[in-house]
Amino acid sequence: MSKKYVYLFSEGNANMRELLGGKGANLAEMTNIGMPVPQGFTISTEACTRYYEDGEKIAPEIEAEIFEYLAKMEALVGKKFGDKENPLLVSVRSGARASMPGMMDTILNLGINDDVAATLAAKSGNVRWAYDSYRRFIMMFSDVAMGYDRLKFEAIMDELKEKRGVATDAGLTAEDMQEMVERFKVLYKELAGVEFPTDPKVQLMAAVRAVFGSWMNERAIAYRRMNDIPSSWGTAVNVQMMVFGNMGDDCGTGVAFSRDPATGENKLYGEFLMNAQGEDVVAGIRTPQTIDQLHETNAAAYDQFAAVAKNLEKHYKDMQDMEFTIEQGKLYMLQTRNGKRTAQAALKVAVDMVNEGLCTKEEALLKIDPNSINALLHPRFDEAALKKAKPVATGLAASPGAGCGAVYFTAEDVKKHAKNGPTLLVRSFTSPEDIEGMAAAKGILTATGGRTSHAAVVARGMGACCVAGCGALRIHEDEKYLTIGDIRVNEGEVMSIDGNTGNVYVGAIPTVDATISGDFAVVMGWADSIRKLHVRTNADTPRDAANAVRLGAEGIGLTRTEHMFFDADRIPAMREMILSTDVEHRAAALAKLLPMQRGDFEGIFKAMEGRPVTIRLLDPPLHEFLPTADEDIKALADEMGLTFDYVKGTILSLHENNPMMGFRGCRLPVKYPEIAEMQTRAIIEAAINVKNECGYDIVPEIMIPLTCEFKELKYVSNIVKATAEAVKAEKSSDLKYLVGTMIEIPRAALTADEIAKEAEFFSFGTNDLTQMTFGFSRDDAGSFLPSYYEKQIFDNDPFERIDQVGVGKLVDMAVKLGRATRPDIHLGICGEHGGEPSSVDFCHRVGLDYVSCSPFRVPIARMAAAQAQIKNPRA
Ligand code: ADP
Ligand code: MG
Ligand code: MG
């Protein structure tokens, strides 16, 4: 039997979304539960895929099947294409699995021609309606199927409206409509070089081809990438009998939500336009009535609709977003789908629906987009003010929130001025030295760099808003001003940036603080009671740690010790250590760092109140701590009593061509064991001190980064253990501690069985693991990845969502190998992926014990972990 490509609405159901697209599956479902849906059929997404396989052609057997289903539909509705008595008009509607605004627009009234229009006019006695439908069809077909400029058609209509002195199409007469049809046909012939197609079947096939073709248009490709929709899915095409909202004043068309999508309030919310068709409501050509006004003008129709809306909610167990048409008092449903909503509304709807007994907690949780929670945790711009403001540029929405303040171009200037009022840090890009400025600013704006650039990662970690990669931005750091096109903003002048949209504004937009409502706590409570995956945080300071605990973190999965060394009062000792000529000097410098580092750890242990804390030994290449400008080098040399040439020489000798694959991570203590000794001592002493002082049962987890070989790990781990034991003996303490490693080099994953002999835990550092598995530098990939999306080689950024196929295979392998050697090995992930929902789902499925992410992503991870458990229950 040959493959089936076309389905009547009565043959489908809501579970066939992959095959029929979202719109088609829901039309089928509504048909089968007895809702008033105009009949029709769906051409499947597989037909679209096939269209591309066949070189952008519709195969003859598929065309034949379409016509076979057309005949079935004609029999069902008792109307026929081009018929003299009862002509059938249809809409042709695209519909992918996920709703995609970038796709082809719908064509209405297809099947109409001169004869059909005359028949419709004669049979109904409504000439205006017949030719209104006709002119709409010519314009939509020309625009949507043929790609001609819609404005050329609209110009004709505008001219007519002006001539008649009417403001909207509602004021035009039957004769006007007829004149418009004639002029549209002439225009079409000018544009196409041939007459407007009169054969409904020719019209239909052209429309179907246009829908398939629109799957690969630029808008659609861009939308798919932003929303993680694979290009292999294809779109379905729905062919549906027309019902008419444009037959008079007992007719109309509307869109409505079953609950308020902004607040979640349980009340119909929507708009309705009398004597109108299709897109008129959203196109804004006339001012629509609210759905409440429909109640006043047509109570019967309103009641029908309200009842349908309730039933659909009950059926789908979710808030619905619906399209409907009223034809001469009778209601028809044209679309339903689960409604998009604000984060606030999502929480309220979830809590209300569980209370109303409409769904279970599990079902309610699955309706919440974990990423949307982000919006609840950051200050927002005042909605009304934002609407009025006009962006001057747009960058990447790198870290959510609203930032408004005086602009400064160095971290130092930001720090200086932050005391006097809100500031924004504006830089070409940021580096670790900018940390304090970033923390002091209300927001960070950069000209280059992607969503995983330093600025973006750090900003998300701090919960600061960030717009990165704003290409239009030019910074004149020395002259202290910036330009965007011909707009100039001087240092100290106020700008606003929106980390949710990437928009950049000149001037101040008022902000409002995030409110965490009661629903939020209720829903997170459900998530926590369900999930099996633990959620920790990446935090380097007591402040971040405390903040993460407030957001539900159960421990720290990554404390980066290097950030602590960038502080102005510490970096001299750090530099002294690096520039030391021998072990004694190095040890002396390290001795200065010891109390500072111990203090840091004490602060973190206290903030975590006995929750687990993983501390990573020094990781970055040493030259990151050293100055680059000659005058800074000179100052440093003077300070340390060394010659300029010596210091400069050392700095040059530390230069690496490929620092990310250079002298860093556990390679540092392999050459300089003293560093690991100092850090271990600081950790163990801090743990013992805080345990004694506060009584917390602390078991520090000491993590060795960048391991690639068992013997290498063993060497460093021996230093750590010897030091820890010595400190314990000095302090007569029986403190327990763990020594583990990061798995972030492919060789470590491949030899995880060996590594697990020494490591008591693994933490997958998926930033480096992704970088090294792909061989892409994270800092440079931004320059070529866009071509990969354009050419459909990648659907999304592997630094944002874990690459489950490749990197994921390494993780899975390392989990199995590690557990084979050490069944109770503790496993987690600390890369940026740890707070990304699809990656959290992956971590759940491969059986990790926890994910660790930046503090503000903790609630997202908790939610994603609960959803993962609901979808794939794990013991
Ligand atoms: P979109 O996905 O852009 O909303 P739709 O295919 O849903 O596109 O249709 C656009 C508009 O046309 C909607 O208002 C819809 O209700 C209306 N429409 C679609 N098909 C029909 C039909 N068969 N009869 C009447 N109106 C229709
Ligand atoms: Mg629609
Ligand atoms: Mg790393």
Side-chain angles (χ1 to χ4, degrees):
M1 212 186 75
S2 67
K3 193 178 176 100
K4 179 175 165 73
Y5 287 101
V6 187
Y7 297 79
L8 283 175
F9 290 167
S10 56
E11 293 177 300
N13 64 55
N15 298 325
M16 293 165 74
R17 165 177 281 272
E18 295 195 2
L19 196 61
L20 304 179
K23 199 180 286 173
N26 284 331
L27 284 168
E29 184 80 10
M30 283 200 291
T31 301
N32 290 324
I33 59 173
M35 297 283 167
V37 177
Q39 299 279 357
F41 58 84
T42 304
I43 306 165
S44 75
T45 54
E46 290 176 348
C48 179
T49 319
R50 176 77 193 274
Y51 170 82
Y52 284 101
E53 281 166 14
D54 291 349
E56 309 195 10
K57 278 194 206 61
I58 296 179
E61 73 264 29
I62 297 184
E63 179 164 320
E65 197 180 341
I66 292 173
F67 290 144
E68 180 194 328
Y69 275 78
L70 179 67
K72 287 190 189 179
M73 175 179 170
E74 288 173 334
L76 276 171
V77 303
K79 296 182 183 187
K80 277 177 91 119
F81 250 8
D83 195 59
K84 290 274 175 320
E85 280 299 310
N86 252 329
L88 171 68
L89 299 191
V90 299
S91 60
V92 176
R93 319 171 65 187
S94 64
R97 279 192 225 178
S99 145
M100 276 184 58
M103 293 290 300
M104 189 202 82
D105 296 317
T106 292
I107 297 179
L108 302 178
N109 311 328
L110 185 142
I112 204 164
N113 56 33
D114 289 355
D115 293 341
V116 168
T119 306
L120 293 175
K123 299 264 301 184
S124 66
N126 191 339
V127 181
R128 188 187 184 281
W129 161 65
Y131 289 89
D132 180 45
S133 302
Y134 197 2
R135 63 93 187 170
R136 287 173 186 269
F137 173 61
I138 301 174
M139 178 151 104
M140 282 187 260
F141 185 87
S142 303
D143 168 19
V144 174
M146 305 304 293
Y148 302 147
D149 187 355
R150 188 183 190 101
L151 293 177
K152 293 195 169 134
F153 291 85
E154 276 174 4
I156 293 176
M157 178 148 106
D158 289 343
E159 200 188 305
L160 267 173
K161 284 196 292 200
E162 195 161 318
K163 209 156 82 186
R164 299 283 173 262
V166 296
T168 72
D169 62 314
L172 296 175
T173 63
E175 290 71 36
D176 295 333
M177 296 297 175
Q178 279 170 310
E179 180 181 339
M180 220 186 313
V181 165
E182 287 315 311
R183 292 178 63 181
F184 278 10
K185 284 196 292 191
V186 172
L187 176 58
Y188 182 92
K189 191 172 176 197
E190 262 172 49
L191 294 168
V194 294
E195 299 284 347
F196 190 78
T198 53
D199 180 345
K201 286 190 173 172
V202 171
Q203 296 173 352
L204 177 63
M205 292 314 295
V208 172
R209 267 193 299 277
V211 176
F212 287 160
S214 72
W215 180 250
M216 288 298 176
N217 75 27
E218 259 172 55
R219 277 184 306 164
I221 290 172
Y223 184 84
R224 280 202 289 276
R225 182 154 57 73
M226 285 186 303
N227 294 279
D228 302 315
I229 298 171
S231 55
S232 60
W233 279 5
T235 180
V237 186
N238 301 289
V239 177
Q240 186 174 29
M241 183 183 80
M242 284 302 301
V243 288
F244 297 98
N246 59 338
M247 290 183 95
D249 285 342
D250 55 351
C251 304
T253 175
V255 292
F257 290 82
S258 57
R259 302 185 187 221
D260 186 329
T263 64
E265 192 192 345
N266 187 0
K267 177 174 181 309
L268 278 181
Y269 176 97
E271 291 177 325
F272 181 79
L273 203 55
M274 301 259 281
N275 197 13
Q277 202 177 34
E279 305 287 59
D280 291 1
V281 180
V282 272
I285 50 171
R286 282 185 258 150
T287 309
Q289 305 180 334
T290 64
I291 203 85
D292 297 336
Q293 286 169 311
L294 175 64
H295 185 45
E296 289 155 28
T297 54
N298 193 338
Y302 175 91
D303 290 343
Q304 278 182 65
F305 178 69
V308 164
K310 272 277 154 274
N311 279 334
L312 283 176
E313 263 205 350
K314 212 179 264 166
H315 185 74
Y316 284 99
K317 303 183 175 186
D318 201 353
M319 177 236 247
Q320 295 298 295
D321 168 2
M322 299 156 290
E323 293 175 3
F324 63 99
T325 281
I326 294 170
E327 180 183 299
Q328 300 184 313
K330 179 162 174 23
L331 173 77
Y332 290 95
M333 296 304 296
L334 292 166
Q335 188 169 336
T336 195
R337 59 186 161 198
N338 296 338
K340 294 231 184 312
R341 62 207 83 175
T342 64
Q344 214 121 19
L347 297 176
K348 175 156 174 60
V349 168
V351 172
D352 284 354
M353 285 198 161
V354 169
N355 289 341
E356 290 161 28
L358 271 181
C359 64
T360 62
K361 287 174 190 168
E362 286 79 3
E363 287 164 336
L365 281 174
L366 287 179
K367 296 185 218 311
I368 297 170
D369 172 6
N371 281 320
S372 73
I373 293 175
N374 229 344
L376 297 171
L377 303 172
H378 299 279
R380 299 187 303 271
F381 284 121
D382 177 67
E383 284 292 328
L386 191 62
K387 261 199 197 123
K388 281 189 224 131
K390 235 182 89 93
V392 293
T394 303
L396 295 168
S399 177
C404 176
V407 299
Y408 292 97
F409 306 111
T410 65
E412 219 149 284
D413 285 339
V414 163
K415 261 170 46 191
K416 197 154 50 181
H417 293 279
K419 295 171 201 120
N420 311 323
T423 58
L424 289 185
L425 175 64
V426 183
R427 290 188 65 68
S428 287
F429 56 87
T430 64
S431 65
E433 295 137 58
D434 295 331
I435 295 271
E436 289 175 85
M438 294 173 79
K442 291 288 173 206
I444 299 134
L445 172 62
T446 70
T448 62
R451 286 194 180 80
T452 53
S453 61
H454 178 267
V457 172
V458 173
R460 284 198 290 273
M462 299 188 308
C465 112
C466 174
V467 172
C470 179
L473 184 66
R474 298 277 172 282
I475 298 164
H476 309 267
E477 192 182 314
D478 295 340
E479 293 88 26
K480 298 185 183 276
Y481 72 94
L482 66 81
T483 55
I484 294 170
D486 46 19
I487 300 169
R488 175 186 167 127
V489 179
N490 295 318
E491 177 187 272
E493 290 176 0
V494 174
M495 292 183 74
S496 301
I497 59 172
D498 187 340
N500 300 80
T501 60
N503 283 339
V504 176
Y505 306 85
V506 173
I509 302 176
T511 58
V512 288
D513 261 348
T515 44
I516 295 179
S517 72
D519 293 335
F520 184 71
V522 171
V523 169
M524 292 314 297
W526 297 343
D528 290 342
S529 70
I530 287 168
R531 68 187 162 88
K532 293 284 187 263
L533 201 57
H534 291 282
V535 177
R536 294 193 185 185
T537 192
N538 300 344
D540 306 338
T541 64
R543 191 183 87 172
D544 285 356
N547 194 20
V549 168
R550 188 177 62 83
L551 296 171
E554 298 165 272
I556 290 181
L558 174 66
T559 290
R560 286 163 289 218
T561 49
E562 56 270 17
H563 284 176
M564 304 165 176
F565 294 131
F566 282 107
D567 276 3
D569 54 336
R570 302 178 174 198
I571 201 156
M574 188 66 186
R575 288 172 169 169
E576 202 179 316
M577 189 277 287
I578 296 168
L579 295 170
S580 300
T581 39
D582 51 41
V583 182
E584 279 102 79
H585 283 99
R586 196 157 35 248
L590 283 165
K592 288 187 202 164
L593 290 169
L594 174 68
M596 300 175 187
Q597 184 111 89
R598 186 175 56 221
D600 292 330
F601 297 143
E602 285 170 354
I604 286 174
F605 287 133
K606 281 182 188 165
M608 293 309 288
E609 299 176 332
R611 294 177 184 84
V613 175
T614 305
I615 296 171
R616 178 176 75 184
L617 301 185
L618 192 65
D619 185 47
L622 296 180
H623 63 79
E624 280 194 10
F625 297 95
L626 296 173
T628 48
D630 275 356
E631 69 252 40
D632 297 336
I633 295 175
K634 173 139 190 7
L636 178 62
D638 290 347
E639 220 173 274
M640 296 187 55
L642 296 166
T643 66
F644 172 83
D645 287 344
Y646 173 79
V647 175
K648 174 105 180 173
T650 310
I651 290 172
L652 288 180
S653 75
L654 282 170
H655 170 82
E656 292 174 304
N657 285 325
N658 208 338
M660 282 302 123
M661 298 175 97
F663 184 40
R664 56 175 284 222
C666 63
R667 298 159 200 175
L668 297 167
V670 166
K671 187 161 169 187
Y672 302 133
E674 312 81 71
I675 301 179
E677 280 166 14
M678 183 281 282
Q679 290 200 295
T680 303
R681 176 169 284 276
I683 294 168
I684 300 295
E685 286 180 356
I688 292 172
N689 292 350
V690 175
K691 188 175 177 182
N692 291 343
E693 185 186 332
C694 308
Y696 302 136
D697 190 16
I698 300 173
V699 182
E701 301 172 9
I702 301 175
M703 181 155 80
I704 297 167
L706 220 71
T707 306
C708 66
E709 152 65 36
F710 163 74
K711 280 184 271 180
E712 172 195 45
L713 176 65
K714 177 98 186 142
Y715 176 81
V716 178
S717 143
N718 281 346
I719 297 168
V720 168
K721 287 185 199 157
T723 310
E725 291 309 321
V727 175
K728 279 170 61 178
E730 283 165 26
K731 300 213 158 209
S732 353
S733 160
D734 62 350
L735 184 88
K736 285 200 192 57
Y737 63 94
L738 300 174
V739 182
T741 188
M742 287 184 73
I743 302 288
E744 51 188 337
I745 290 181
R747 193 177 189 280
L750 294 167
T751 59
D753 46 349
E754 288 281 307
I755 301 227
K757 285 188 203 154
E758 192 58 29
E760 292 171 287
F761 63 88
F762 287 167
S763 176
F764 292 94
T766 50
N767 296 347
D768 269 311
L769 190 58
T770 299
Q771 174 160 263
M772 300 209 203
T773 302
F774 280 88
F776 288 166
S777 152
R778 186 154 67 119
D779 300 306
D780 302 322
S783 70
F784 54 83
L785 278 183
S787 307
Y788 278 64
Y789 307 137
E790 228 165 79
K791 308 203 166 138
Q792 275 132 49
I793 297 168
F794 282 1
D795 281 323
N796 43 54
D797 181 349
F799 292 105
E800 239 170 72
R801 295 164 64 106
I802 198 163
D803 156 46
Q804 300 187 16
V805 179
V807 175
K809 191 184 272 181
L810 284 171
V811 172
D812 188 35
M813 178 189 297
V815 165
K816 293 191 174 113
L817 290 174
R819 286 224 168 99
T821 300
R822 188 189 287 270
D824 64 344
I825 191 165
H826 200 233
L827 303 169
I829 174 182
C830 66
E832 277 284 297
H833 298 110
E836 190 282 316
S838 76
S839 311
V840 171
D841 184 73
F842 170 80
C843 294
H844 168 87
R845 282 183 283 113
V846 295
L848 297 193
D849 297 301
Y850 69 88
V851 295
S852 186
C853 56
S854 55
F856 281 93
R857 297 201 74 90
V858 165
I860 299 173
R862 287 158 69 197
M863 178 64 69
Q867 294 183 346
Q869 170 69 12
I870 295 167
K871 287 187 237 162
N872 286 295
R874 170 172 129 182

